[in-house]
């Protein structure tokens, strides 16, 4: 349970970076479905780097063990996460009238809990 809580804390920090980049880009480029989707991906890149650094050293205490393998596995999982987040945002903003900020939080939580944590624990840092 402690590992899960630490992973969620790391995810929150990474998500804050992600959301800040996302919000800045949406404000600068507009909130059309295409721009929201692109801002989602770019925010995810920034947040993902922060999350990897925290989760690797603090959550799973990996130090220098298998660093190159973990980076490659993380990138693979991260790419899936970016695809799920970006696609989810596009679909929600295209087909609904839900505020894009609320939609972003909803999509992020669902992907984080049901995809990211599971694969990071079972695949990236196994």
């Amino acid at each position: 349970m402690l590992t899960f809580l630490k992973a969620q804390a790391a995810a929150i920090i990474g998500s804050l970076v992600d959301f800040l980049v996302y919000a800045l880009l949406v404000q600068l480029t507009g909130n059309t479905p295409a721009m929201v989707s692109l801002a989602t991906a770019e925010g995810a890149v920034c947040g993902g780097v922060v999350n990897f650094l925290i989760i690797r050293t603090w959550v799973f205490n990996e130090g220098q063990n298998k660093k190159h393998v973990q980076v490659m596995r993380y990138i693979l999982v991260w790419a899936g996460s970016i695809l799920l987040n970006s696609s989810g945002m596009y679909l929600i903003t295209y087909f609904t009238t839900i505020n894009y900020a609320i939609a972003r939080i909803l999509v992020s939580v669902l992907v984080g809990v049901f995809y990211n944590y599971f694969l990071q624990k079972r695949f990236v840092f196994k």
Side-chain angles (χ1 to χ4, degrees):
M1 185 62 152
L2 181 59
T3 300
F4 178 77
L5 294 175
K6 287 168 77 172
Q8 297 317 301
I12 289 168
I13 294 167
S15 292
L16 287 173
V17 171
D18 178 342
F19 288 174
L20 287 173
V21 171
Y22 163 78
L24 178 64
L25 291 173
V26 167
Q27 291 302 313
L28 293 174
T29 63
N31 64 355
T32 65
M35 289 295 104
V36 167
S37 181
L38 182 60
T40 300
E42 292 176 9
V45 168
C46 296
V49 169
V50 169
N51 180 260
F52 177 78
L53 295 172
I54 295 170
I55 205 166
R56 184 172 193 287
T57 56
W58 183 55
V59 177
F60 294 110
N61 300 314
E62 289 296 317
Q64 294 300 314
N65 299 333
K66 304 177 264 179
K67 187 175 190 176
H68 65 287
V69 173
Q70 291 168 348
V71 167
M72 296 308 294
R73 289 178 179 174
Y74 187 85
I75 289 170
L76 184 62
V77 171
W78 188 23
S81 179
I82 291 169
L83 180 64
L84 289 171
N85 277 288
S86 298
S87 299
M89 283 303 296
Y90 183 85
L91 292 171
I92 288 176
T93 57
Y94 187 80
F95 289 111
T96 74
T97 59
I98 295 174
N99 177 278
Y100 69 90
I102 293 170
R104 182 69 178 99
I105 293 168
L106 175 66
V107 171
S108 181
V109 168
L110 290 173
V111 172
V113 171
F114 294 107
Y115 177 81
N116 292 345
Y117 176 74
F118 176 77
L119 287 177
Q120 286 172 359
K121 183 174 181 175
R122 303 280 185 211
F123 177 64
V124 177
F125 300 107
K126 67 176 185 165

